[in-house]
Amino acid sequence: MRIGIVGATGYGGAELLRLLKNHPKVKDIHLYTSSKDGVHISDSYPHLTDVYNLTLKAFDADVVSQETDLVFMATPPGVSAESTDQVAKNGTKVIDLSGDLRLEDPAIYERWYKRKAADQKTIDLAIYGLNEWAKEEVQSAAIIANPGCYPTAALLGLAPLVQKDLVVHNSIIIDAKTGTSGAGRSTSSATHFSEMSENFKIYQVNSHKHTPEIEQQLKRWNEGIGAITFQTHLVPMVRGIMTTMYVQLNESFSQEQLHQLYNNVYKDSPFVRIRKENHYPATREVYGSNYCDIGLSYDERTGRATIVSVIDNMVKGAAGQAIQNMNVMNGWDETTGLDVVPVYP
């Protein structure tokens, strides 16, 4: 296939290149940029020296549409909203890694993202690609809205209980922590080494833009789910997300029943690993991989379940999930090119 990556100099673009290198169905890759036309990719990322002999090209939606069969939009918010319909006009498939096409209601997007939304027609064409729960839709999709990193970890953890209507509707609390790569490659005081080293801080209190994305999908599964409490924190590491979720259950459960439910639900999902009873995952254990590891606990004293879900935000939370969606869109095994053992330690 002829693959395009728009925004190839960002972390998401670099991670796509790392994973696509060993993908057996990908031989021809085009890199597009808005700021580094003519620059060799190894000048931007020296770790790709002698791995790829690729030069960045200026982004032109018409050219991209003619040169590629499938395009990854690894761009900041706003780019996909303006150009996806043009890129896709000649039958080129689009997988958008930004948040531009995830929210069904343009008014909600504009309220949370503080920018103009994509055309409603383009939004309606986009399939929300949480692959474990949308395989049939992804198979026939022309445009995929790749889920955000936090929503991926949270939704995979909550789905079995929410879909079975086992959760008290307004009881969901998501406590989420991420490494600094989630903020992108651009420098900022928030992720500066001197600010983050030996530090741990909360950010975007009750205002993170992934909140409506999580709520939207939960309500698709269960109309009774109301507003959630979702809070994010920055920790002094590069990669990884841990979401610890607390939910009140509406019926009594045993620890064994909880594990049985999750094991049954995800038994055919190669990238979701359920830890055995009284074992809980750490971010290092999925580092560099497309796995989502989930640990579970039921507190009989309070009637609450605690779900711990970890992913690598750059892989399962971005590039890896995008390639998983590409595989399913094209009828390939979803693990193609993604059978990577986590890096440890």
Side-chain angles (χ1 to χ4, degrees):
M1 286 191 74
R2 302 175 303 160
I3 298 297
I5 301 175
V6 182
T9 58
Y11 287 151
E15 195 69 355
L16 282 165
L17 284 169
R18 179 179 75 88
L19 295 168
L20 289 172
K21 179 62 180 175
N22 296 314
H23 197 293
K25 304 290 188 180
V26 175
K27 300 299 181 187
D28 189 11
I29 298 179
H30 300 266
L31 306 182
Y32 305 98
T33 179
S34 60
S35 59
K36 295 186 177 181
D37 183 20
V39 174
H40 196 278
I41 189 62
S42 63
D43 291 333
S44 186
Y45 284 108
H47 74 288
L48 296 176
T49 300
D50 295 336
V51 177
Y52 282 105
N53 184 24
L54 296 173
T55 300
L56 295 155
K57 297 182 281 188
F59 173 58
D60 182 303
D62 290 325
V63 173
V64 173
S65 179
Q66 294 165 12
E67 290 184 338
T68 63
D69 301 308
L70 183 144
V71 172
F72 296 100
M73 301 289 284
T75 57
V79 178
S80 294
E82 296 175 357
S83 55
T84 289
D85 57 344
Q86 209 168 349
V87 170
K89 68 180 180 181
N90 291 323
T92 296
K93 295 179 179 180
V94 176
I95 300 178
D96 178 34
L97 280 75
S98 78
D100 285 354
L101 306 180
R102 297 175 192 156
L103 298 177
E104 296 173 342
D105 187 338
I108 293 177
Y109 174 90
E110 291 173 0
R111 186 183 315 141
W112 287 84
Y113 281 76
K114 313 300 183 188
R115 62 175 63 246
K116 183 173 172 49
D119 182 78
Q120 185 69 63
K121 183 175 72 172
T122 305
I123 295 170
D124 291 343
L125 287 172
I127 296 299
Y128 188 68
L130 188 66
N131 204 280
E132 284 75 12
W133 293 94
K135 259 187 194 52
E136 290 185 9
E137 295 93 331
V138 170
Q139 284 172 352
S140 58
I143 300 173
I144 294 287
N146 212 55
C149 50
Y150 280 129
T152 296
L155 291 169
L156 289 175
L158 290 169
L161 291 172
V162 169
Q163 290 224 14
K164 297 287 187 182
D165 198 23
L166 295 169
V167 174
V168 174
H169 289 165
N170 290 309
S171 73
I172 296 174
I173 298 172
I174 305 170
D175 178 73
K177 301 169 180 68
T178 188
T180 58
S181 60
R185 202 179 189 192
S186 300
T187 56
S188 73
S189 59
T191 55
H192 191 285
F193 179 81
S194 297
E195 297 286 338
M196 275 312 304
S197 180
E198 300 184 51
N199 197 11
F200 177 30
K201 53 189 175 184
I202 195 168
Y203 72 103
Q204 294 182 18
V205 179
N206 292 325
S207 62
H208 197 284
K209 63 188 178 184
H210 284 169
T211 304
E213 179 182 342
I214 297 170
E215 290 180 343
Q216 175 180 268
Q217 187 58 39
L218 291 175
K219 288 176 182 177
R220 284 173 179 164
W221 289 333
N222 186 328
E223 291 181 355
I225 297 295
I228 62 170
T229 295
F230 170 57
Q231 191 48 60
T232 54
H233 307 78
L234 202 57
V235 297
M237 63 185 186
V238 175
R239 288 174 181 251
I241 281 178
M242 175 178 283
T243 57
T244 305
M245 292 159 281
Y246 309 95
V247 296
Q248 193 79 32
L249 300 187
N250 53 29
E251 62 179 74
S252 295
F253 255 73
S254 68
Q255 187 82 1
E256 183 181 357
Q257 287 174 314
L258 191 60
H259 277 81
Q260 185 176 17
L261 170 64
Y262 275 71
N263 281 313
N264 287 342
V265 166
Y266 287 120
K267 66 181 186 299
D268 296 321
S269 299
F271 292 118
V272 179
R273 306 188 298 188
I274 308 301
R275 294 299 173 85
K276 60 186 179 181
E277 289 184 38
N278 302 315
H279 287 75
Y280 303 94
T283 58
R284 175 65 75 180
E285 294 157 0
V286 297
Y287 196 97
S289 79
N290 200 50
Y291 289 116
C292 173
D293 285 8
I294 297 173
L296 304 160
S297 177
Y298 177 68
D299 186 347
E300 295 182 359
R301 186 176 59 86
T302 63
R304 292 192 193 97
T306 300
I307 307 122
V308 182
S309 174
V310 301
I311 63 171
D312 184 320
N313 58 297
M314 299 305 302
V315 189
K316 186 59 171 170
Q321 183 161 221
I323 294 171
Q324 185 181 357
N325 279 319
M326 176 185 76
N327 290 338
V328 174
M329 290 171 86
N330 288 285
W332 308 327
D333 188 293
E334 66 186 283
T335 65
T336 305
L338 294 171
D339 191 15
V340 179
V341 176
V343 178
Y344 195 96

